Amino acid sequence: MDSLLVILGPTAVGKTKIAIKVALQLKGEIISADSMQVYRHLNIGTAKPMLAERKTVPHHHIDIADPWERYNVVRFQREVNKLIPNIIHRGRKPMLVGGTGLYISAVVDNYDFSPDGANQLIRYQLTNKAAQLGPQFLHKKLARVDPIAAQKIQPTDTRRLVRALEVSTYGRLFSASGKGPVLYRVVQIGLKRERSKLYEAINQRVEEMFNAGLVNEAKWLFKQGLPEDLPALQALGYKEIFPYLRNEATIDEVKENLKRHTRRLAKRQLTWFRRDNRIIWLDCDQYSTEQALADQIVRIAEGKL
């Protein structure tokens, strides 16, 4: 069975630099598991690896779709499952690196996205809605489509609300897991930092993005006149700036909004990942250098894959 190394964690924790150091030692090729780095032209806001970094180690699934396309997890899963055997055939180590939990889980657990399987995409979207608008939003929605179920489920029970809405969407029951057969031997390494330090890194990254020209990048996207429901327009770093471009907010206001929304994203990412007890967590602050952390990941990978 093919082996796969996964390096995951919240935004701004330092995955890119560490993964490159690991890849250099393992002769690895990095597959980006970031739902927004797939889009061309969106470089600063999605924190893509620099071109020099991509020349150092082969990177895949960056700049493969235009902002007006609707790239999704189903396409990601299909393409990655074709890519991994090709990387192995070249005698190199496939490494899935990123922070989009659904994309990572779709590959690691081989989610079944067919009509007969539990729809993880819908489940993920509903969970995000609950995180953004509160579980009461889901309860009101359920009350409209299935009032009997709504009466039996507490308005604060997000898990059962999500499940009930998922089932009502298709009008029938689904399998319990929605997973297909195991395809890979996987080692998942999670990177974490103490919350205050992570939030400090997030705030610093936002400042660096603005200094690097994020507003101009957002302005280009804004001028395309694309439908607001496109996934690319939901990317952090762009939709926060649109009010400024419409003269509805100041630059300081949109900057603070982006910092706050990015901190919330990091929290949601950690919530998703912590449900998986197979992940081996490493605290970045416990290592004296990035190389020391990378060396530890290599030792774990070589001992388990």
Side-chain angles (χ1 to χ4, degrees):
M1 183 179 291
D2 293 339
S3 62
L4 173 67
L5 174 62
V6 180
I7 298 178
L8 54 84
T11 185
V13 78
K15 298 182 294 294
T16 297
K17 290 183 178 180
I18 297 301
I20 289 174
K21 292 181 182 298
V22 172
L24 288 172
Q25 294 187 62
L26 294 179
K27 295 183 179 179
E29 296 191 16
I30 293 173
I31 305 168
S32 171
D34 186 300
S35 62
M36 294 302 167
Q37 289 185 357
V38 299
Y39 293 109
R40 303 181 186 96
H41 311 293
L42 309 188
N43 302 317
I44 300 171
T46 61
K48 288 177 186 173
M50 303 294 289
L51 288 176
E53 293 174 318
R54 285 186 250 172
K55 289 180 179 178
T56 302
V57 171
H59 281 68
H60 304 275
H61 271 74
I62 295 176
D63 293 338
I64 61 170
D66 288 312
W68 43 89
E69 293 183 59
R70 294 183 182 273
Y71 194 92
N72 60 39
V73 65
V74 178
R75 177 176 165 186
F76 176 81
Q77 181 195 57
R78 181 176 62 249
E79 293 172 349
V80 169
N81 283 339
K82 292 180 180 178
L83 178 61
I84 288 175
N86 291 336
I87 294 175
I88 293 171
H89 182 72
R90 292 195 291 271
R92 300 182 67 85
K93 175 73 68 182
M95 296 172 50
L96 192 61
V97 179
T100 303
L102 179 63
Y103 279 31
I104 293 171
S105 297
V107 174
V108 170
D109 291 317
N110 192 22
Y111 280 164
D112 180 4
F113 291 107
S114 69
D116 292 329
N119 195 314
Q120 301 292 338
L121 178 57
I122 289 178
R123 190 176 296 177
Y124 176 71
Q125 292 171 338
L126 290 169
T127 302
N128 265 0
K129 281 291 185 183
Q132 295 168 4
L133 304 174
Q136 292 81 5
F137 173 83
L138 297 187
H139 193 264
K140 291 178 181 179
K141 184 174 182 178
L142 181 61
R144 292 194 297 268
V145 298
D146 190 347
I148 296 176
Q151 290 177 1
K152 297 180 179 180
I153 300 176
Q154 292 293 325
T156 56
D157 192 340
T158 301
R159 183 184 62 82
R160 293 187 65 201
L161 289 169
V162 167
R163 180 60 178 161
L165 282 169
E166 179 191 353
V167 171
S168 69
T169 301
Y170 293 94
R172 54 188 172 83
L173 294 176
F174 289 87
S175 60
S177 65
K179 299 176 183 177
V182 175
L183 299 180
Y184 313 110
R185 288 188 296 113
V186 180
V187 171
Q188 296 184 87
I189 305 294
L191 304 183
K192 64 179 181 177
R193 299 190 69 184
E194 194 271 324
R195 178 170 293 186
S196 64
K197 293 182 179 179
L198 177 62
Y199 286 0
E200 182 181 341
I202 287 172
N203 293 340
Q204 180 179 345
R205 171 181 280 188
V206 170
E207 293 289 346
E208 291 171 352
M209 286 178 169
F210 273 83
N211 292 336
L214 179 60
V215 172
N216 288 333
E217 199 169 86
K219 187 180 297 183
W220 177 88
L221 184 61
F222 184 75
K223 288 182 177 180
Q224 303 308 304
L226 302 174
E228 292 186 2
D229 65 336
L230 283 174
L233 270 71
Q234 303 307 309
L236 279 177
Y238 303 100
K239 59 187 177 64
E240 286 79 11
I241 295 177
F242 292 166
Y244 168 74
L245 300 177
R246 293 192 291 260
N247 296 316
E248 297 171 358
T250 67
I251 194 67
D252 288 336
E253 288 172 339
V254 299
K255 185 183 292 186
E256 289 306 310
N257 275 340
L258 178 54
K259 290 178 181 178
R260 182 170 62 254
H261 292 171
T262 307
R263 293 193 296 266
R264 289 176 180 172
L265 169 63
K267 187 176 180 180
R268 292 197 301 272
Q269 289 172 314
L270 286 168
T271 298
W272 176 284
F273 292 133
R274 283 172 177 159
R275 297 182 300 181
D276 190 342
N277 57 18
R278 299 167 298 181
I279 296 173
I280 301 169
W281 287 99
L282 300 179
D283 188 337
C284 299
D285 298 318
Q286 299 301 311
Y287 295 84
S288 57
T289 64
E290 292 177 344
Q291 188 60 55
L293 175 55
D295 291 344
Q296 176 66 2
I297 294 174
V298 170
R299 284 191 291 269
I300 294 172
E302 289 181 333
K304 290 183 176 291
L305 288 177

